[in-house]
Amino acid sequence: MGLYEDNLKGFILALLSSVFIGASFIIKKKGLRRAAAISGVRAGYGGYAYLLEPLWWLGMFTMIVGEVANFVAYAFAPAILVTPLGALSIIVSAVLAHFMLKEKLHQLGVLGCVMCISGSVIIVIHAPQESPITSVQEIWIMATQPAFLLYLGSVIVLVVLLILYFAPRCGHTNVLVFTGICSLMGSLSVMSVKALGTALKLTFEGNNQLVYPETWFFVFIVVTCVITQMNYLNKALDTFNTAVVSPIYYVMFTSLTILASVIMFKDWDGQDTGSIISELCGFIAVLCGTIVLNSTKDSDRGSSFRSGHAPPSPTLSTGLFNGNHESPKHDEENGVLPDEICLRKQEQY
């Protein structure tokens, strides 16, 4: 019963995290618009008037609350349950934008929302129960098992290869390079966040884990991975259209995170084949819903461009195979401010 309650707590925290993060984008955008209207200089063109706008700071506070809830959720529930629920923030953002920013949510967007919600429900129903962890040293044993060390080694080799070889040559023409680095490092950051969150949870329960060097090693890994992840995510957003980066990053990040969790924490051990297939189907439904939602945003931008006699916004396929040197200025013309772009999450670690 305790394990079920932990999953329920993790689910509620992940759900609250999505609500807060999704709402934060809308609040911040309204703050940015209000600041631009007062100062006459938008954030994308060097304006910093939004720093004096209370609404913008409210959005920042809301986002921080959401990220904290997401962090704590990993201490209670498996990553295979928490990570896909991050897609719900896109639904919250889309629905609030429809009512608060008058950004129309089309029928295809509604379909994407329904797919995300349906997939999330399936994942929640069939989510695995984690084995109880009593010490951070148990997590360290999991992290040093041969199977996960093989995954860790593969990630390090791929990241080094992407950074040193592919990034200088095709990083600005192929969206998979920068998003690949973000996603690979993101999967390690989530594993470390889960380890750190569990250590803090046990510490607050009276079982001090801060005396173990493994806890501080996980802190180091979290900081290193997050800095690298955010650096290359910003590069991806600065180089390519957000409508291209967001779905690709979400798909790769979530897939690799679930793979890492299955290897390290053995989430699927003890589950029957039917439950595993159901989880995969739910995961695919969430991914498809996310792509559909981003596709409707992309088509909206294309329509606004055509009405203004400007080139249409690139689709996911053209950005993936041909590359798209879309600058933040183009996103501003589409109604998306660079400050909002850089803070939009996928994601979710």
Side-chain angles (χ1 to χ4, degrees):
M1 186 64 180
L3 292 176
Y4 171 77
E5 289 179 354
D6 279 351
N7 265 17
L8 182 60
K9 290 177 182 177
F11 165 70
I12 293 174
L13 286 167
L15 197 61
L16 290 174
S17 171
S18 294
V19 171
F20 278 107
I21 291 175
S24 72
F25 293 135
I26 306 304
I27 298 172
K28 280 170 54 59
K29 188 167 184 177
K30 287 183 72 69
L32 288 168
R33 287 182 174 181
R34 182 180 295 181
I38 296 174
S39 67
V41 182
R42 298 173 65 176
Y45 292 92
Y48 293 97
Y50 62 87
L51 294 176
L52 302 175
E53 175 56 52
L55 197 59
W56 185 85
W57 284 106
L58 176 61
M60 279 295 295
F61 175 76
T62 305
M63 185 187 69
I64 292 171
V65 171
E67 293 293 353
V68 171
N70 191 52
F71 175 86
V72 178
Y74 282 109
F76 290 96
I80 196 172
L81 170 61
V82 176
T83 305
L85 292 178
L88 297 180
S89 65
I90 302 175
I91 298 176
V92 174
S93 180
V95 172
L96 290 179
H98 178 78
F99 292 103
M100 298 178 65
L101 300 177
K102 307 305 178 184
E103 296 177 1
K104 188 175 182 182
L105 182 62
H106 297 284
Q107 292 182 349
L108 197 59
V110 175
L111 175 62
C113 292
V114 172
M115 291 174 69
C116 286
I117 294 174
S118 301
S120 299
V121 170
I122 294 173
I123 291 173
V124 170
I125 292 174
H126 297 278
Q129 299 290 338
E130 283 190 314
S131 301
I133 297 175
T134 58
S135 170
V136 71
Q137 292 177 314
E138 290 183 28
I139 302 179
W140 180 257
I141 293 173
M142 297 177 187
T144 54
Q145 61 184 308
F148 188 75
L149 288 177
L150 178 61
Y151 175 81
L152 176 63
S154 302
V155 167
I156 293 174
V157 170
L158 286 173
V159 167
V160 170
L161 194 61
L162 287 170
I163 291 176
L164 298 182
Y165 182 81
F166 288 100
R169 290 169 174 78
C170 55
H172 294 278
T173 58
N174 192 323
V175 69
L176 294 178
V177 176
F178 291 148
T179 53
I181 296 171
C182 295
S183 303
L184 289 164
M185 295 300 288
S187 68
L188 297 183
S189 70
V190 168
M191 297 303 101
S192 301
V193 161
K194 181 167 180 59
L196 181 58
T198 303
L200 292 176
K201 173 191 170 186
L202 292 171
T203 299
F204 289 137
E205 290 175 351
N207 185 4
N208 188 10
Q209 301 296 304
L210 300 181
V211 297
Y212 297 111
E214 290 87 350
T215 301
W216 298 104
F217 180 79
F218 284 125
V219 171
F220 170 76
I221 296 298
V222 168
V223 173
T224 302
C225 289
V226 168
I227 290 175
T228 306
Q229 186 181 357
M230 295 309 299
N231 177 41
Y232 283 94
L233 180 58
N234 285 334
K235 288 185 178 183
L237 291 170
D238 187 54
T239 306
F240 302 97
N241 191 296
T242 310
V244 175
V245 174
S246 295
I248 294 176
Y249 174 57
Y250 178 79
V251 170
M252 293 177 66
F253 168 72
T254 308
S255 302
L256 288 170
T257 298
I258 290 177
L259 175 62
S261 182
V262 167
I263 295 173
M264 180 171 170
F265 293 99
K266 303 186 182 303
D267 291 332
W268 285 343
D269 280 15
Q271 277 202 299
D272 56 80
T273 305
S275 295
I276 295 174
I277 292 176
S278 297
E279 290 168 25
L280 290 175
C281 290
F283 175 54
I284 292 171
V286 172
L287 295 184
C288 292
T290 303
I291 293 173
V292 168
L293 268 173
N294 279 279
S295 297
T296 59
K297 293 179 183 178
D298 196 35
S299 63
D300 285 345
R301 291 176 186 136
S303 300
S304 63
F305 267 127
R306 285 190 290 274
S307 63
H309 306 289
S313 178
T315 62
L316 178 61
S317 58
T318 57
L320 180 59
F321 295 108
N322 300 329
N324 172 27
H325 297 278
E326 191 85 13
S327 69
K329 292 182 180 179
H330 292 98
D331 284 306
E332 275 199 319
E333 293 168 359
N334 293 342
V336 182
L337 298 175
D339 184 78
E340 179 195 2
I341 292 170
C342 293
L343 290 172
R344 185 172 294 174
K345 183 97 190 333
Q346 302 255 341
E347 22 48 66
Q348 348 324 338
Y349 65 93

